[in-house]
């Protein structure tokens, strides 16, 4: 059953990529960058709308938290390290979780070729 599920996932990925080849940085790099930018925008927004924007930004933190917990890492430590890495405006946008490391390690996901399919994020 596991092999069947994995091959079905691979076939579906190929099917989606045949329609749209665009990819985004994976390993939660995209979600943290979106959260960071939305938080910044929320802080600049006057009135009650800023709270809704900030809560929406916090919702993107669920993805790296789940990845961290599923690999036995501490979610809060991963989030702190990712936000720290994303402060670098040049290479920070590509900072994601190294799921193969034994400890909380952040890596450049584009350099390591870890991507998510655009249509799964759209």
């Amino acid at each position: 059953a596991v092999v069947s599920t994995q091959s079905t996932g691979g076939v579906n990925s190929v099917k989606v990529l045949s329609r749209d080849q665009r990819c985004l940085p994976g390993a939660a790099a995209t979600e943290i960058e979106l959260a960071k930018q939305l938080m910044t925008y929320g802080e600049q927004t006057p009135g009650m709308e800023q709270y809704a924007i900030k809560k929406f930004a916090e919702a993107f933190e669920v993805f790296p938290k789940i990845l961290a917990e599923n690999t036995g890492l501490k979610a809060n430590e991963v989030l702190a390290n990712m936000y720290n890495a994303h402060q670098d405006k040049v290479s920070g946008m590509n900072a994601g979780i190294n799921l193969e490391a034994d400890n909380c390690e952040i890596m450049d996901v584009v350099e390591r070729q870890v991507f998510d399919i655009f249509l799964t994020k759209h």
Side-chain angles (χ1 to χ4, degrees):
V2 173
V3 172
S4 174
T5 304
Q6 289 175 346
S7 63
T8 302
V11 169
N12 286 336
S13 295
V14 170
K15 218 161 95 174
V16 170
L17 284 170
S18 68
R19 288 190 294 151
D20 187 345
Q21 291 86 35
R22 293 179 292 174
C23 292
L24 296 168
T30 299
E31 289 81 3
I32 287 296
E33 186 62 27
L34 285 170
K36 184 188 86 159
Q37 290 188 22
L38 282 167
M39 283 288 193
T40 301
Y41 178 70
E43 290 167 1
Q44 299 168 355
T45 304
M48 296 299 289
E49 290 177 343
Q50 72 175 290
Y51 298 109
I53 294 168
K54 286 182 177 181
K55 285 295 180 187
F56 183 59
E58 284 179 28
F60 283 102
E61 293 178 353
V62 169
F63 296 98
K65 282 181 181 178
I66 289 172
L67 282 175
E69 290 170 0
N70 285 347
T71 56
L73 300 172
K74 295 177 184 171
N76 290 335
E77 183 182 356
V78 168
L79 277 177
N81 288 348
M82 286 190 72
Y83 273 116
N84 188 39
H86 277 257
Q87 295 307 312
D88 182 353
K89 295 194 186 304
V90 177
S91 64
M93 293 175 86
N94 299 328
I97 307 167
N98 184 351
L99 300 175
E100 295 175 349
D102 292 333
N103 55 4
C104 181
E105 184 180 304
I106 306 301
M107 66 178 183
D108 184 328
V109 294
V110 172
E111 182 180 293
R112 298 277 294 270
Q113 298 183 350
V114 178
F115 297 104
D116 287 335
I117 300 170
F118 174 79
L119 286 178
T120 62
K121 307 277 185 189
H122 184 253

